[in-house]
Amino acid sequence: ALIAVIALVGYAMLHFMLDRAAYVSTADARIAADMIAVSTDISGKITSVKVSEGDEVKAGDILYTIDDREAAYTLAQYEAEAERLRAEIDREETRIQLASSKAGSEVEARRAGTHSASASVEAARSNFETAQRDYDRTKDLFERGLVPQSNLDQAKNALDTAQQALLRAQADRESAVAEQRTASITGEEVRLIEAGLPILRANLEQAEARVDAQKVVVEQHTIRSPIDGVVDELFYDAGEHSLRGFRMALLHDPNAVRVSANIKETDIRNVQVGAPVLVRADSEPGKLIKGHVARVHDATIAEAALMPNPNANGVFTKITQRISVRIDLDPTDVRLRPGSMVRVRIHKQKAARTTAAEPA
């Protein structure tokens, strides 16, 4: 029995020494996760809480709702203003179409009227010239006593009638030219309306931008989960008043947990990125979890402390420092909760030595 006990103790010591030679072990390790603090961009009264602590949520699930009546009224006002501008733009575009069609038809009609009046003037002038020649011949014959006075009076009357017809045709032509000019001015009014459209469109873009911005404000009154995860803590109840920028809930992704191990500085030389790791959780020590070293920090934990411990009294006590190591885990069915303790065994790996080049 004594020999068996000695052999068992020897085996245990040999196993311990081999384990110490092959692994860096520590119990100063815990499960860590990225804790997501959900905050709000607006202040207001909380109308409902849609989840409870410990609930699993999907990205986009509602956590809180905040009273959004004032924001909704403002959004409706901005949307009405944008709709008014759209209607005004449609009206102006319709006016342009109608005015352009009318102006084009009127200009063509007035141009045709001007051509007709010009033709009438030329015809009246031709009649006048004919009457003038007839009068001159009749007057010459009358002076020579070849025709009576009645023929001269008749020729004079025809000449006066032709002259009046010419004056009337010239007046009609001037009137037609004036009406054509008026139709052209109507076309200028169309261009004036077109010049006002860019201003209306710019106002519409500004109004639509206000609508889009207000929609964001309305959406901010609904607090949603940014990730698939678990609700760890809620900081407000229904009826309370939220404050802008303050955290409202705390979440984490249970599928993205890791191990944060604190390794002694005397062992850190044997820990390399990529080294395999064996992990046992204190909550389920019978199950082995595998992983690998993902990162070795460059500073000790003491250097990152909020309240460092300087040597102010001159008495120095040397304490072995610890360096944080991140360990990523392989998929496992073990429920790992952030903050829970684990034990890790990291397979030792020596760092590749680099030889400095000798100076030439």
Side-chain angles (χ1 to χ4, degrees), residues 241-291:
H241 193 87
S242 67
L243 297 176
R244 179 177 181 179
F246 279 60
R247 63 170 57 183
M248 302 188 69
L250 199 63
L251 300 90
H252 81 277
D253 184 359
N255 297 320
V257 295
R258 59 184 182 273
V259 171
S260 178
N262 300 321
I263 307 300
K264 293 180 181 180
E265 60 181 331
T266 54
D267 294 331
I268 200 68
R269 65 181 180 275
N270 298 318
V271 178
Q272 302 298 323
V273 173
V277 182
L278 302 177
V279 180
R280 292 185 185 274
D282 289 358
S283 59
E284 295 189 45
K287 294 186 177 181
L288 184 64
I289 307 169
K290 294 183 179 181

Side-chain angles (χ1 to χ4, degrees), residues 91 115 214 244 267 282 307 310 323 339:
R91 184 192 65 187
H115 292 327
Q214 191 62 25
R244 179 177 181 179
D267 294 331
D282 289 358
M307 298 182 63
I323 298 172

Side-chain angles (χ1 to χ4, degrees), residues 200-214:
L200 290 176
R201 293 193 178 103
N203 292 337
L204 177 59
E205 290 179 1
Q206 185 178 9
E208 289 176 340
R210 284 197 299 265
V211 169
D212 292 339
Q214 191 62 25

Side-chain angles (χ1 to χ4, degrees), residues 92-114:
E92 293 301 306
E93 289 177 345
T94 303
R95 284 183 58 196
I96 289 174
Q97 292 176 358
L98 293 176
S100 298
S101 178
K102 180 180 178 181
S105 300
E106 200 168 325
V107 167
E108 291 299 325
R110 299 311 178 195
R111 184 178 293 114
T114 302

Side-chain angles (χ1 to χ4, degrees), residues 185-240:
I185 294 175
T186 303
E188 296 296 331
E189 292 178 355
V190 172
R191 283 188 285 273
L192 181 62
I193 298 174
E194 290 176 342
L197 276 178
I199 299 175
L200 290 176
R201 293 193 178 103
N203 292 337
L204 177 59
E205 290 179 1
Q206 185 178 9
E208 289 176 340
R210 284 197 299 265
V211 169
D212 292 339
Q214 191 62 25
K215 285 181 179 179
V216 174
V217 174
V218 172
E219 180 62 26
Q220 287 173 345
H221 286 72
T222 302
I223 310 303
R224 300 180 182 273
S225 172
I227 62 169
D228 295 346
V230 176
V231 179
D232 296 307
E233 191 171 0
L234 298 172
F235 298 100
Y236 287 92
D237 294 323
E240 294 184 332

Side-chain angles (χ1 to χ4, degrees), residues 80-219:
E81 175 65 16
E83 191 62 29
R84 183 190 68 81
L85 288 170
R86 293 190 192 98
E88 189 170 350
I89 289 174
D90 291 341
R91 184 192 65 187
E92 293 301 306
E93 289 177 345
T94 303
R95 284 183 58 196
I96 289 174
Q97 292 176 358
L98 293 176
S100 298
S101 178
K102 180 180 178 181
S105 300
E106 200 168 325
V107 167
E108 291 299 325
R110 299 311 178 195
R111 184 178 293 114
T114 302
H115 292 327
S116 176
S118 298
S120 297
V121 168
E122 294 301 323
R125 179 177 290 109
S126 177
N127 293 336
F128 174 74
E129 291 174 353
T130 300
Q132 182 69 50
R133 288 194 296 270
D134 289 343
Y135 174 75
D136 290 341
R137 284 196 301 270
T138 303
K139 184 180 179 181
D140 182 61
L141 294 174
F142 174 77
E143 289 177 352
R144 288 189 291 170
L146 298 178
V147 296
Q149 180 68 39
S150 59
N151 288 349
L152 181 62
D153 293 341
Q154 185 178 2
K156 176 63 173 154
N157 185 47
L159 177 62
D160 291 342
T161 301
Q163 185 177 13
Q164 293 299 321
L166 175 61
L167 293 176
R168 184 167 56 252
Q170 290 175 340
D172 290 343
R173 184 180 61 182
E174 295 297 328
S175 177
V177 170
E179 289 177 354
Q180 183 179 350
R181 191 178 300 112
T182 302
S184 300
I185 294 175
T186 303
E188 296 296 331
E189 292 178 355
V190 172
R191 283 188 285 273
L192 181 62
I193 298 174
E194 290 176 342
L197 276 178
I199 299 175
L200 290 176
R201 293 193 178 103
N203 292 337
L204 177 59
E205 290 179 1
Q206 185 178 9
E208 289 176 340
R210 284 197 299 265
V211 169
D212 292 339
Q214 191 62 25
K215 285 181 179 179
V216 174
V217 174
V218 172
E219 180 62 26

